[in-house]
Amino acid sequence: MKSSNRYNRQIILPEIGESGQEKLNASKVLVIGAGGLGCPVLQYLTAAGIGTLGIIDFDVVEASNLHRQVLYGDNSLGKNKSLAAKARLTDLNPTITIHAYPEKLTTKNALTLFSEYDIIVDGTDNFSTRYLVNDACVITGKPLVYGAIFKYQGQVSVFNYQNGPSYRCLFPDPPKAGSVPSCAEIGVLGVLPGIIGSMQANEVLKIILSLGNVLNGKLLMYDSLTAQSSSFSINRVSSEVSKVLASAKNFETIDYDLFCGIKQVSEITAKDVFLLEDVQFIDVREAYEQPKIENLNPSCIPLGNLQQQINDLDKDKETIVFCQSGIRSKKAVEILLANGFENVSHVKGGAIALNNSIPDLTGFENL
């Protein structure tokens, strides 16, 4: 065992012992984000002797981080967080392996990266990445230790553990874009990330060591102003988990910014539609809906059948989708984007607007 004297105070705990320390040393934990939550998680997991730690973060250290991200100092300013964290943590415990990934977590690298680790820790600060992390954990079968902070309050839970609930079972849909301010907009008490991040690190150790009651199927709420905590149960929603698993083959093409409303679906006016050439039109209405827009020669695929018939369409062509009024077509665009289509828009106002904008070509037949 590496540096057993270093870990003496936890080895002498009868529930851990040398066998427990060996489990820690054999474990691999990936921390997403080396910010407010990631810093305390990383510090305590490093000190505890987790054998392999991964840190992924594309951000750089700024002066506004230092009041809560105490892993860094003035010498870290302007440096990539994952690299700065690795340097500091290596000094804290040079006996473990630390991998720094100074890049953004995306659908392109998440599954490969997650497959190399046993446990994933969510230290992110935005909903797009949280849903991405959750889905990647579900697809790769990795437990997710979740944490979140807001002003003076924090949350901790463990998702996707021993057939327990996922993040989507608690939050199936993201909040409306802009409705939840970030720490940069509303502020946060500097010690709060330290408290919540330490709780997350504690859950990681409990999972590895099979100690106590893991926060599986429970959400712990902590209020730093009252020093009170409460928890409530989370039920597994099998349909939410199944949807994620069903999307596995298309995971790399999912746009989580679009899902969370950060990126808007591209739209085109009905008038401009008739100026386009060499375009693939898709009518996602039901067969009984009127009027038909015959002069566009659309592929008629009801929204409910779009996923099944998506291979009949040309991904390389500019694609315009319409429905009756412009509501279902937005969902259709999301489905197409998730399946590798890139140049996709929907018609504002749908078939109703199109019918009112059909050019009058009377008198031009003989020209």
Side-chain angles (χ1 to χ4, degrees), residues 211-259:
L211 285 178
N213 299 315
V214 174
L215 283 173
N216 177 30
K218 291 186 179 297
L219 182 70
L220 176 68
M221 313 279 289
Y222 176 77
D223 188 322
S224 63
L225 296 184
T226 62
Q228 293 183 333
S229 61
S230 59
S231 66
F232 62 86
S233 297
I234 309 168
N235 295 321
R236 177 184 169 90
V237 181
S238 296
S239 59
E240 291 294 334
V241 177
S242 296
K243 281 192 293 186
V244 174
L245 292 173
S247 70
K249 63 181 180 180
N250 301 315
F251 178 77
E252 289 192 4
T253 62
I254 296 175
D255 191 327
Y256 283 91
D257 283 346
L258 185 65
F259 170 70

Side-chain angles (χ1 to χ4, degrees), residues 282-345:
I282 306 174
D283 183 349
V284 296
R285 297 178 296 166
E286 300 298 325
Y288 61 82
E289 293 183 85
Q290 299 290 334
K292 299 300 180 185
I293 315 295
E294 301 294 349
N295 53 334
L296 294 182
N297 192 29
S299 297
C300 297
I301 307 175
L303 180 61
N305 299 338
L306 183 58
Q307 186 68 60
Q308 290 72 34
Q309 296 180 237
I310 209 156
N311 291 330
D312 298 334
L313 302 171
D314 187 346
K315 289 185 178 181
D316 297 324
K317 264 195 171 184
E318 180 180 359
T319 302
I320 305 296
V321 186
F322 65 91
C323 61
Q324 190 71 359
S325 61
I327 297 175
R328 282 169 288 174
S329 55
K330 286 186 177 181
K331 179 62 179 177
V333 170
E334 293 179 10
I335 293 172
L336 292 169
L337 290 172
N339 282 271
F341 289 71
E342 295 183 357
N343 192 1
V344 188
S345 303

